[in-house]
């Protein structure tokens, strides 16, 4: 049953109260009405996401960077290798920290995918894979934010700062891996579940 059209104070109808009718003027079956309500919910959710993206551009950077990393890791680990955290610190430092932590967490599994290969070569391959994914993700994030007309001022500088922090985090991770003695690196990967 369709709800009656209600008007706001300014005289415009609210979308949630617009009745759904078939082209011939009759009421459609319940499934068509449910589908219309679902479509309305999708549009409202999309608008919310668009508004949140404009308000929190670094969350877009995180999501697109992780999407790029997921894409780069897809061959070795399948779809959705990295999942986003729900509550986030969207500062450049917090965003970069999550990108580095979530992506480098796959290193032991990556090493297991390349048994018998030189450890330094595996690390180089892993870091190149992550960097390719991050570069793709940041490029896509910039394009999205540019399309939203918010890629300027603090937003642009925070994205650049986040990118630089991710690159530094990757360099620190690689240096720490190279500094581990061969026996400690081997026993660390053998003790992993």
């Amino acid at each position: 049953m369709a709800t009656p059209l209600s008007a706001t104070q300014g005289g415009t109808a609210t979308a949630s109260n617009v009745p759904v009718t078939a082209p011939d003027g009759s009421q459609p079956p319940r499934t068509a009405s449910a589908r219309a309500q679902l479509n309305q919910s999708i549009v409202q959710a999309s608008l919310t996401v668009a508004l949140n993206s404009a308000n929190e551009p670094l969350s877009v950077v995180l999501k697109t960077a992780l999407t790029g990393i997921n894409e780069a890791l897809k061959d070795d680990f399948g779809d959705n290798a990295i999942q986003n955290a729900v509550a986030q610190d969207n500062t450049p430092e917090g965003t970069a920290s999550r990108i580095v932590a979530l992506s480098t967490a796959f290193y032991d599994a990556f090493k297991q995918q390349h048994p018998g290969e030189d450890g330094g070569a595996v690390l180089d391959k892993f870091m190149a894979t992550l960097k390719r994914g991050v570069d793709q993700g940041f490029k896509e994030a910039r394009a999205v934010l540019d399309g939203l007309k918010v890629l300027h001022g603090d937003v642009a500088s925070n994205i650049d700062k986040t990118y630089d922090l991710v690159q530094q985090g990757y360099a620190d991770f690689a240096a720490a891996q190279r500094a581990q003695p061969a026996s400690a690196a081997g026993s660390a990967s053998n003790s992993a579940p």
Side-chain angles (χ1 to χ4, degrees):
M1 178 175 169
T3 57
L5 182 65
S6 71
T8 61
Q9 206 170 36
T12 58
T14 59
S16 62
N17 295 328
V18 174
V20 176
T21 58
D24 66 359
S26 65
Q27 287 188 341
R30 284 186 95 94
T31 56
S33 178
R35 187 176 304 123
Q37 288 175 348
L38 175 62
N39 289 341
Q40 177 185 353
S41 297
I42 291 169
V43 169
Q44 287 173 338
S46 297
L47 289 173
T48 300
V49 169
L51 292 174
N52 286 341
S53 296
N55 294 335
E56 296 182 15
L58 289 180
S59 67
V60 173
V61 170
L62 173 65
K63 289 173 184 155
T64 57
L66 292 179
T67 299
I69 293 167
N70 276 334
E71 208 42 50
L73 294 174
K74 186 176 184 175
D75 291 341
D76 292 316
F77 300 102
D79 292 332
N80 299 316
I82 298 175
Q83 300 301 319
N84 279 336
V86 175
Q88 302 171 21
D89 168 10
N90 290 321
T91 64
E93 295 80 6
T95 302
S97 176
R98 277 191 311 283
I99 292 169
V100 171
L102 290 170
S103 59
T104 58
F106 285 92
Y107 183 55
D108 285 336
F110 190 87
K111 286 191 300 188
Q112 290 175 1
Q113 295 283 329
H114 299 88
E117 292 183 37
D118 175 66
V122 171
L123 178 61
D124 290 343
K125 189 184 299 186
F126 179 71
M127 298 313 297
T129 300
L130 294 184
K131 287 178 180 183
R132 216 175 31 252
V134 163
D135 287 347
Q136 175 187 339
F138 272 78
K139 179 181 176 185
E140 290 173 6
R142 284 183 175 106
V144 168
L145 295 170
D146 191 39
L148 293 171
K149 307 280 190 252
V150 296
L151 187 60
H152 50 78
D154 285 346
V155 172
S157 64
N158 282 340
I159 290 171
D160 292 342
K161 182 177 181 181
T162 302
Y163 182 84
D164 292 343
L165 289 168
V166 169
Q167 297 306 315
Q168 184 59 52
Y170 283 165
D172 293 346
F173 175 82
Q177 293 302 312
R178 291 186 201 290
Q180 289 183 3
S183 62
S187 65
S189 64
N190 289 337
S191 64

